Amino acid sequence: MNALALLVPLALGLGLLALLFFAWTLRDGQYEDPDGAAARILFDDNQETPPCPTSDSR
């Protein structure tokens, strides 16, 4: 019985902490673009062309 008196408030406190953390991430905009990272990995933004090799660079 003494263990429940400690564990129940601890579990409720951790649940409230997790809920507050989730609300903070929602307000911060963490879930605004869930498909963005998956699409960004497919496209190369750096369209730089490599320098052309010349015949006198031996």
Side-chain angles (χ1 to χ4, degrees):
M1 192 63 133
N2 290 336
L4 285 178
L6 176 68
L7 290 178
V8 170
L10 185 65
L12 290 174
L14 286 175
L16 182 63
L17 184 67
L19 185 64
L20 290 174
F21 181 71
F22 179 68
W24 177 55
T25 59
L26 277 177
R27 191 172 300 160
D28 197 36
Q30 293 289 321
Y31 309 108
E32 291 295 321
D33 189 17
D35 297 327
R40 265 179 279 169
I41 199 169
L42 298 175
F43 302 109
D44 188 19
D45 290 338
N46 301 341
Q47 297 294 333
E48 299 174 10
T49 57
C52 296
T54 58
S55 60
D56 31 310
S57 64
R58 293 185 184 181

